[in-house]
Amino acid sequence: MSASLAAALSWSSNCCLIPFQGLFGPSRSFQRIKNQKWNSKGATRGGVITAKVELKPPPYSIDSFEPVMSRETLEYHWGKHHRGYVDNLNKQIVGTELDEKSLEEIVLLTYNKGDFLPPFNNAAQAWNHEFFWESMKPGGGGKPHGEVLELIIRDFGSFEAFVNEFKTAAATQTGSGWAWLVYKANRLNVGNAVNPRPKEEDKKLVVVKSPNAINPLVWDYSPLLTIDVWEHAYYIDYQSRRLDYISRFLEELVSWEAVAARLKAAKAKAMEREAEEQREKMDYESDEQTSSEPMQMYYDSSS
């Protein structure tokens, strides 16, 4: 295991909103990527993989969570599974338009409305795992404070009700997958329609679960917190006792500071996008009005 994994790194928040694509559907770049003929072995330049998605180590030392999450689990989970997703993704995207995109953009573009393009699984798993590591901190868990707690109480009734709902989602995700706390802006997913402006109280926190590599980015939600319930995330420490793992994650590992930073970024991004959509709507209506004005005919009366 490399020394870089053991080194403590500063936490950096991820903004988790889908990029604004305008009122009239995806860009030409998306269409080119959608039509890409994928080589399952990946492309290389001079025999060297040159795509740029990086494998980031967890932002804490590898034994920080003993005994809740063992060093052995982190070595196996990060060092084998997360590394494998990143390595395989780089092989898939090198030489394509995707190797110039961010990891989040790759996830969104290759989801393809549920008709996955080949890189989707590795891209989403790489994103999910990076987000998962940053959802935890040494000495974490317990109850949040400030706006996060206020919204949890508003949207779930109490912190205890949220905990029960999150546990249920994580425990009942059949097979492999994830449970999430997300910020939901209550928007329409219609390419040629103007999204309504929801009331502020309609923007809320919700708990969702997702199978395999799927994450809430593809549903246009902003992830704030996640737990990995793939068996490799907990089997070394808990065997088949998934619920024990979920409970200890909430009680001792969650970084509520990370959740608060993500919530702040998600709300700011939602406001920015609403303003952009309003500007685009006004431009569209202005163009429509101009094109609908009657043509004026002129003629020479002396002829």
Side-chain angles (χ1 to χ4, degrees), residues 13 16 26-27 37 56 92-93 100 130 150-152 160 162 189 204 207 212 245 250 260 292 297:
S13 64
C16 308
S27 65
K37 292 183 179 179
K56 294 182 181 179
Q92 287 177 307
I93 67 173
E100 299 298 325
E130 186 175 314
E150 291 172 4
L151 292 185
I152 285 176
E160 292 71 24
F162 155 72
N189 184 23
K204 61 179 61 178
V207 168
N212 302 317
Y245 157 68
L250 288 168
S292 64
M297 302 295 292

Side-chain angles (χ1 to χ4, degrees), residues 60-73:
Y60 31 73
S61 64
I62 195 170
D63 56 359
S64 293
F65 297 149
E66 293 274 8
V68 180
M69 183 180 290
S70 67
R71 179 189 184 95
E72 184 181 3
T73 289

